[in-house]
Amino acid sequence: SQQGEEDPQALSIQEGENATMNCSYKTSINNLQWYRQNSGRGLVHLILIRSNEREKHSGRLRVTLDTSKKSSSLLITASRAADTASYFCATDASLSGGSYIPTFGRGTSLIVHP
Amino acid sequence: DSGVTQTPKHLITATGQRVTLRCSPRSGDLSVYWYQQSLDQGLQFLIQYYNGEERAKGNILERFSAQQFPDLHSELNLSSLELGDSALYFCASSPRQGNQPQHFGDGTRLSIL
């Protein structure tokens, strides 16, 4: 099963609105990352938040982390049509042979209508 | 441009065949990761190499194998292909081990007929 699960599975908004996506995970983590994937392309790293951080900003992106609830949220403010993509969270909780396996959720599909 | 190059972009083959997917990591990156992305399974981690050595294994089938060469490029070999192996295969790289930002290639789309 996936370590991280994004919610909602799909989100449709108008340009200029804010988009909020959530990620829940099951076990303790060292850090959590958010990635974006445009259709047919590879994933692009957006932001990394460490377990001792509660909030992080990067341009129009705001990520929060609540380790007590094992959840994170990604907020995209003033969305643009170009933000249309799938967004994934990735955690590092899994351990295999002394190495951390990055575990991705199934993603939230965001559509921003112009 | 992530700096990670994957070839070929598309591959169409038949059941029972064997294919090799190639990945050149971003300059300076020592870790290479392989992933399989399908509609029903999402993005699944297959295997990781660091500086030529296998470091972690995920849900990789025995029919699949990989290696990382001295020049740090990596190849993923898929054999005895089945219809269910049809998917997007991504390679990603990072400078070191551990959970850090990864740079993804644009993938190889494998279609099994």
Side-chain angles (χ1 to χ4, degrees):
Chain A
S1 64
Q2 302 288 341
Q3 160 69 351
E5 292 291 345
E6 293 89 349
D7 172 67
Q9 289 187 339
L11 184 59
S12 180
I13 61 174
Q14 295 295 129
E15 210 165 29
E17 294 179 342
N18 294 342
T20 299
M21 287 156 270
N22 303 296
C23 170
S24 59
Y25 56 92
K26 297 173 184 170
T27 60
S28 297
I29 59 172
N30 293 312
N31 64 54
L32 183 145
Q33 301 180 56
W34 284 92
Y35 287 80
R36 159 197 173 125
Q37 183 182 29
N38 287 75
S39 180
R41 303 296 300 275
L43 279 70
V44 175
H45 180 261
L46 295 176
I47 200 163
L48 181 151
I49 186 164
R50 301 189 190 284
S51 59
N52 61 354
E53 297 175 308
R54 292 296 168 259
E55 189 171 309
K56 209 162 180 181
H57 296 256
S58 176
R60 294 184 296 112
L61 305 181
R62 172 178 168 249
V63 168
T64 61
L65 179 63
D66 187 334
T67 53
S68 66
K69 295 181 180 177
K70 292 187 171 59
S71 68
S72 174
S73 68
L74 169 66
L75 168 67
I76 303 174
T77 59
S79 63
R80 306 165 181 168
D83 294 327
T84 294
S86 291
Y87 292 82
F88 295 85
C89 67
T91 57
D92 65 348
S94 298
L95 189 63
S96 170
S99 184
Y100 286 95
I101 298 175
T103 308
F104 288 81
R106 292 187 181 275
T108 291
S109 176
L110 173 66
I111 297 175
V112 182
H113 300 279
Chain B
D1 182 11
S2 68
V4 178
T5 304
Q6 288 188 250
T7 57
K9 292 191 186 307
H10 303 276
L11 203 47
I12 301 174
T13 188
T15 56
Q17 295 298 305
R18 173 190 170 93
V19 297
T20 298
L21 313 183
R22 181 188 169 101
C23 169
S24 293
R26 198 177 62 143
S27 178
D29 285 357
L30 299 180
S31 271
V32 168
Y33 306 79
W34 285 97
Y35 295 88
Q36 180 192 58
Q37 186 177 42
S38 59
L39 284 175
D40 57 340
Q41 292 292 325
L43 192 67
Q44 296 285 320
F45 168 75
L46 296 178
I47 197 164
Q48 178 210 356
Y49 281 83
Y50 176 77
N51 204 20
E53 292 188 10
E54 181 185 308
R55 287 300 191 191
K57 254 184 174 177
N59 299 321
I60 187 166
L61 301 172
E62 285 190 9
R63 300 183 285 109
F64 296 0
S65 65
Q67 54 185 326
Q68 186 180 28
F69 294 88
D71 66 353
L72 301 178
H73 91 270
S74 179
E75 293 181 356
L76 178 66
N77 301 295
L78 315 177
S79 62
S80 303
L81 287 168
E82 302 175 359
L83 292 176
D85 297 329
S86 295
L88 259 173
Y89 290 85
F90 287 106
C91 167
S93 71
S94 64
R96 303 175 304 279
Q97 300 185 82
N99 195 18
Q100 54 187 279
Q102 296 179 23
H103 302 269
F104 280 75
D106 279 339
T108 293
R109 182 172 294 280
L110 177 63
S111 299
I112 312 299
L113 302 179

